[in-house]
Amino acid sequence: MDVSHIFRSAAAARAGHLRRALKEAGSERDAVLLGAKTVVAATAAWLLARYLLPPAVSTFAPFTALVALQATVYRSVRDCLQYVLAVAAGAALAATLAAVAGIHGWTFGLLTLVALCVGTIRGFGQQGTQVAIVGFFAFSSGQGRIDYIGHLVASVAIGALCGLAAHLVLAPARHTDHRQRAVAGLYTTMADRLGDLADTLEATDPDRGHLRQWRGDWRKLSGECERIRHTIEAEIENSRMNPRHIVSDTDRALPRAREAVALAERVMDHMRSLTRTLDHALGSGELESLPTSFRPRFGAVLRATAAAMEEIGRESPSDPVLLDAKFDEAAAELDRVQRRYERTASEASPAVHALQGTLVTDAGRLLTDLRSGRPAPVDA
């Protein structure tokens, strides 16, 4: 294995990461800024602790600064509070055992047992192990002395203040607009795909290769949908306690975006079913046997549904009146196809009749899910 090649590849990847961070706002810039704030806060905490406190406890200050600097202000405050509580619990246990029973092997074992039990309390979160760790320091290095424990708590307080101050000076960036654009892009892609299905249905010589490719692409689109949902959840957390001002109506925009993604995941199941049905019909030759009047009418249903889908995914809140009009248009197209399908049921072969029924059912479920699951209006 060429070690130098590995290092060059890693350096090139890091350089690309930095270029993207400098070029535009995004996750790369957020990560770089968080790293820079962490370095400054940890260094400041260590210098203050070294100047004000004994060297034996100064390391707790930069460590606490690391805990206090998470990706969001809310998470930073939550983890910092949990860590401070864990430190206080561990120090109190060590001081109590040292004062009551002294410094012995069996008291250290008892301290470990009690600290591990206390650390499982849900309120400590992921910082539960710090109850035992801090207890070990206070018991072994500090011999349970109150002065050592007081200095330790002071060091932790310095680190917490430095870490949280870094977030107040330069709070994490807000990306509400980015999340809305991602949702709009997702809906545009789905609407385009629905239009492509309509084109395939109406084409005189449809390309089955495209349908097969789309069937494979649905898995990728579902993965993209999940990724967008995670970024929205992260941004909702980022909006909590964040001092940065934002023009957008974040309190409503992000929940609406989350609802839209949840709806998209359900809608994809119906679109996947439509794609699968058309692929099977094209392969078996049943698609060509569909009545000539059915194919363009059903294509109109898909296009009207795609127009409503695009309206739902807009970055700005959808106009309820306009959206209802688009749904009404799609429903009217579907109703015309439904009535035509029922009138010609006796004339079609069983296979063609079943194909028409499957397509109409899938389109009806798709339209119903879109209409019933659309995000609530902005003035609701």
Side-chain angles (χ1 to χ4, degrees):
M1 182 181 294
D2 188 352
V3 177
S4 61
H5 176 71
I6 294 176
F7 279 113
R8 284 197 299 270
S9 299
R14 179 54 57 185
H17 182 90
L18 291 174
R19 280 196 299 271
R20 289 190 296 272
L22 294 173
K23 184 178 179 181
E24 59 183 358
S27 58
E28 289 88 355
R29 180 176 294 180
D30 292 342
V32 169
L33 289 176
L34 180 61
K37 288 192 293 185
T38 302
V39 170
V40 172
T43 303
W46 183 79
L47 290 173
L48 286 172
R50 291 283 293 182
Y51 179 76
L52 298 173
L53 301 171
V57 298
S58 60
T59 305
F60 281 93
F63 182 77
T64 308
L66 295 180
V67 174
L69 271 169
Q70 302 297 322
T72 66
V73 177
Y74 169 78
R75 197 183 308 172
S76 297
V77 172
R78 182 199 64 191
D79 288 7
C80 189
L81 286 175
Q82 289 174 341
Y83 179 71
V84 170
L85 290 174
V87 168
L93 284 175
T96 301
L97 274 176
V100 173
I103 306 296
H104 306 289
W106 69 270
T107 52
F108 184 85
L110 181 60
L111 169 67
T112 303
L113 176 62
V114 175
L116 290 176
C117 291
V118 172
T120 61
I121 296 175
R122 183 176 298 180
F124 291 122
Q126 295 182 347
Q127 305 300 329
T129 55
Q130 297 301 323
V131 176
I133 293 173
V134 172
F136 294 162
F137 274 96
F139 193 81
S140 299
S141 300
Q143 299 292 297
R145 298 191 310 272
I146 297 300
D147 58 342
Y148 178 89
I149 292 174
H151 290 148
L152 188 153
V153 172
S155 182
V156 168
I158 289 173
L161 290 174
C162 288
L164 295 178
H167 264 332
L168 293 176
V169 172
L170 184 60
R174 307 283 285 274
H175 300 298
T176 302
D177 293 341
H178 293 177
R179 308 307 173 226
Q180 291 176 296
R181 281 196 292 272
V183 173
L186 176 66
Y187 271 81
T188 298
T189 300
M190 292 195 301
D192 289 345
R193 183 59 49 84
L194 206 55
D196 290 341
L197 289 178
D199 292 340
T200 300
L201 185 70
E202 297 169 352
T204 55
D205 185 22
D207 187 351
R208 193 183 183 192
H210 283 324
L211 283 176
R212 289 184 169 178
Q213 180 182 351
W214 295 340
R215 289 185 66 177
D217 287 347
W218 283 122
R219 185 178 296 106
K220 296 179 182 177
L221 198 57
S222 295
E224 177 68 8
C225 201
E226 183 177 358
R227 185 193 67 79
I228 293 173
R229 187 180 71 250
H230 288 320
T231 61
I232 291 172
E233 294 291 349
E235 190 58 31
I236 289 175
E237 180 184 290
N238 188 36
S239 67
R240 299 174 185 169
M241 305 176 70
N242 195 318
R244 279 185 185 256
H245 175 71
I246 190 168
V247 177
S248 302
D249 185 6
T250 305
D251 292 339
R252 294 185 176 183
L254 291 174
R256 281 198 304 272
R258 180 170 56 187
E259 291 175 26
V261 171
L263 174 61
E265 290 177 316
R266 296 196 303 273
V267 164
M268 280 184 195
D269 289 337
H270 304 307
M271 295 182 66
R272 188 182 294 111
S273 179
L274 277 168
T275 307
R276 184 169 55 247
T277 299
L278 288 176
D279 184 26
H280 174 75
L282 187 57
S284 64
E286 294 171 2
L287 186 63
E288 298 177 359
S289 302
L290 286 173
T292 54
S293 61
F294 177 85
R295 293 166 71 171
R297 288 182 182 276
F298 192 75
V301 172
L302 297 183
R303 291 193 176 89
T305 305
M309 189 179 292
E310 279 196 288
E311 181 66 23
I312 291 176
R314 288 177 54 196
E315 292 182 45
S316 56
S318 302
D319 182 346
V321 176
L322 176 60
L323 186 55
D324 281 336
K326 290 181 180 294
F327 277 128
D328 290 341
E329 179 185 353
E333 293 285 357
L334 182 62
D335 186 58
R336 283 192 285 270
V337 171
Q338 179 81 35
R339 290 198 303 268
R340 177 69 179 175
Y341 159 70
E342 292 172 352
R343 284 198 303 269
T344 60
S346 60
E347 304 172 4
S349 66
V352 171
H353 178 67
L355 174 59
Q356 287 178 289
T358 302
L359 291 173
V360 169
T361 300
D362 282 340
R365 289 173 176 171
L366 170 61
L367 188 57
T368 299
D369 248 359
L370 277 173
R371 190 162 207 167
S372 62
R374 61 179 176 174
V378 70
D379 57 350

